[in-house]
Amino acid sequence: MSLDLERHLVFYGTYHHNPVNKAIHMVCVPLILTSAFTVATYTGPLIDLPPWLSVPNLDLNLGTIIAVIYAVLYLLLEPVAGLILAAFCVGSTAFARHMSLQDPEQTLQVAIGIHVLAWVFQFIGHGAFEGRAPGLLDRLVQALFVAPMFVWFEILFVLGYRPELQARIDKQVAAEIKKLNASAKNGKAQ
């Protein structure tokens, strides 16, 4: 997977141009991300750190390791927007670990329930509103990694962040959708 932010946002945008589906994703993607981090913290520490390197609620369990990987990649893709998203990933994982230490059973049940429901809503968004299968069926790893960044950029674009990037992405997404529609019509005509 390359670190070409624009290419990734165009890929994801091609699968998410319907406003209702976008809204569903803006709610569900952060829920899926944080609930996945939460469940992954239940591995317990995979690597023991010396006390002077330990951070409360961020022992090196699978959730923390994945959150740090996501954080680093987001920072590499776009340092300004990535910094806030990186903080969200690591912070939500620390909070999830804190909650799992307070009430392990309930935290796990809630995380799994949220995770499943959020996925169901996303598939409904694609089926009922987008009319197209999700991008994860074409490129699983890219879709899972890019989804939080795409949602974050959708919010930032509404707030006026990097309008030149938004214009380029919107133009490329429109061209990709036009190609897909033409291809679909040609396929049906044959």
Side-chain angles (χ1 to χ4, degrees):
M1 187 173 88
S2 74
L3 294 176
D4 183 345
L5 174 68
E6 195 165 324
R7 193 181 104 228
H8 292 303
L9 293 178
V10 168
F11 162 77
Y12 207 79
T14 302
Y15 290 87
H16 304 89
H17 63 277
N18 175 278
V20 175
N21 191 37
K22 277 186 183 179
I24 290 169
H25 279 66
M26 291 174 97
V27 172
C28 291
V29 166
L31 293 174
I32 288 170
L33 185 67
T34 56
S35 62
F37 290 157
T38 302
V39 172
T41 64
Y42 279 79
T43 62
L46 299 175
I47 301 168
D48 287 323
L49 293 173
W52 58 273
L53 264 181
S54 297
V55 178
N57 297 313
L58 285 174
D59 52 318
L60 286 183
N61 56 55
L62 186 59
T64 302
I65 292 168
I66 293 171
V68 168
I69 290 169
Y70 268 63
V72 169
L73 291 172
Y74 291 146
L75 286 167
L76 291 172
L77 272 172
E78 215 282 1
V80 176
L83 180 64
I84 297 167
L85 192 52
F88 174 80
C89 289
V90 175
S92 65
T93 303
F95 179 72
R97 183 65 180 145
H98 169 75
M99 293 305 294
S100 72
L101 293 172
Q102 302 304 308
D103 191 343
E105 188 175 325
Q106 184 176 11
T107 301
L108 184 60
Q109 289 172 352
V110 169
I112 291 170
I114 287 172
H115 197 80
V116 169
L117 283 175
W119 274 111
V120 167
F121 279 111
Q122 287 205 138
F123 279 104
I124 289 170
H126 277 281
F129 300 102
E130 197 72 49
R132 182 164 184 216
L136 65 91
L137 298 180
D138 288 341
R139 297 184 197 156
L140 178 65
V141 174
Q142 184 180 8
L144 292 176
F145 172 71
V146 174
M149 187 65 120
F150 176 80
V151 166
W152 180 229
F153 265 91
E154 286 296 310
I155 294 166
L156 292 175
F157 288 156
V158 167
L159 298 173
Y161 184 71
R162 295 192 60 187
E164 77 293 342
L165 175 64
Q166 181 183 14
R168 287 194 314 269
I169 289 169
D170 289 346
K171 184 177 178 181
Q172 291 176 59
V173 166
E176 288 296 316
I177 291 170
K178 189 174 181 180
K179 280 194 265 184
L180 287 169
N181 290 340
S183 174
K185 285 180 185 175
N186 290 336
K188 288 180 185 176
Q190 295 176 349

